[in-house]
Amino acid sequence: MRIWLGILLGVLLTGCDQTPTGRQQLALVPDTLMSQMGADAFEQMRQQGPIATGATINRRVECVAEALVAAARRRYPEAEMPDDWQVVVFDRSSPNAFALPGGRIGVHAGLLRVAESPSQLAAVIGHEIGHVLADHGNERMTQQLGIKAALLLVGLLGEGELAQEPLQRALGIGARLGIALPFSRTHEEEADLMGLMIMAEAGFDPAQSVALWRNMAAAGGDQPPEFLSTHPAHESRIELLQKHLPEAGDIRETAAPSACA
């Protein structure tokens, strides 16, 4: 027993890392496994569809996503980042987007009815890229599975024993009221700030992030009280973004204007 406890302690110590913003985190699941789980989840969603086929919407989303990925590499050069990214627009009416480990970005067509400009779309996709760069899925997986994640690393637990529901929650898919996770608010705020800097680096107008979340608030209707939600209330999110707009504005001043129309 002492031997295994020593091994687990070593795993915990070696799993301590920093996010691109300098926050300490514990992320124990191997990156290769996270990437594979992201690929599997993305492929499942692709099969479930439906996929949007309109050329205009696909070009718009791909242009914004490609600019943000390139900007993220420049802004956070020390962060581990997938070499290639897949972008898929799903023909779904909800104003949603997500990014998964391994470089998969999904955007619901309904988001384009709320994000009224490329800069507003960049605010959402940049936020999702921030989740990937900060390894939030790995951190959430570690929090949820606890000792299982450590046992997985030392070969005492098979990959098939990782439950599908915790996996989806860790990857940020379907997180809803009632399954809030520790630090999920921290993750959201960190992704907001990283996304803000990434969109500014890509030449998008960071002030449009505030406009985007005001649009989201208007489109969202009733929202659970902030303390019951895994996401910050719209006003709290807007307040945080406004506080950091001067810094993002300075970044944008030195960036080339976005070519996405």
Side-chain angles (χ1 to χ4, degrees), residues 6 37 85 89 129 134 142-143 168 172 178 186 190 214 243 251:
M37 289 190 292
W85 291 71
V89 182
I129 291 174
T142 300
Q143 292 166 7
Q168 290 184 346
T186 298
E190 189 169 40
R214 285 178 175 152
K243 179 180 177 181
I251 294 172

Side-chain angles (χ1 to χ4, degrees), residues 41-243:
F42 197 62
E43 182 58 31
Q44 182 179 3
M45 284 182 281
R46 282 176 60 101
Q47 292 177 1
Q48 292 173 347
I51 306 297
T53 57
T56 300
I57 188 174
N58 275 281
R59 279 198 302 267
R60 186 182 310 171
V61 171
E62 288 172 3
C63 181
V64 170
E66 289 172 3
L68 290 170
V69 167
R73 287 197 175 98
R74 296 192 301 271
R75 189 68 193 165
Y76 300 105
E78 296 181 0
E80 292 189 10
M81 190 169 177
D83 293 330
D84 300 307
W85 291 71
Q86 286 181 272
V87 182
V88 172
V89 182
F90 294 90
D91 191 11
R92 298 176 182 173
S93 60
S94 56
N96 196 18
F98 58 88
L100 302 179
R104 280 84 180 176
I105 296 173
V107 174
H108 291 192
L111 179 60
L112 276 297
R113 290 193 291 271
V114 178
E116 299 173 345
S117 68
S119 289
Q120 291 187 18
L121 179 60
V124 181
I125 299 178
H127 169 99
E128 299 302 329
I129 291 174
H131 277 308
V132 175
L133 265 62
D135 217 8
H136 289 160
N138 195 330
E139 191 175 2
R140 290 179 182 179
M141 179 71 76
T142 300
Q143 292 166 7
Q144 289 181 71
L145 299 182
I147 195 68
K148 288 185 179 180
L151 292 175
L152 173 66
L153 285 183
V154 298
L156 299 181
L157 183 67
E159 294 178 16
E161 296 178 66
L162 292 174
Q164 183 67 19
E165 184 179 349
L167 164 62
Q168 290 184 346
R169 294 204 302 267
L171 296 180
I173 305 170
R176 292 293 184 270
L177 183 65
I179 55 173
L181 305 175
F183 302 128
S184 60
R185 290 272 301 279
T186 298
H187 289 170
E188 287 299 312
E189 292 175 359
E190 189 169 40
D192 273 343
L193 293 181
M194 291 181 65
L196 185 67
M197 304 310 163
I198 290 170
M199 69 179 292
E201 178 74 33
F204 295 102
D205 180 6
Q208 287 299 304
S209 63
V210 173
L212 178 280
W213 286 108
R214 285 178 175 152
N215 291 349
M216 283 284 198
D222 293 335
Q223 186 183 31
E226 181 173 4
F227 70 93
L228 292 178
S229 176
T230 60
H231 288 61
H234 294 307
E235 288 305 318
S236 295
R237 190 190 298 267
I238 288 170
E239 182 179 352
L240 179 70
L241 291 169
Q242 286 177 324
K243 179 180 177 181

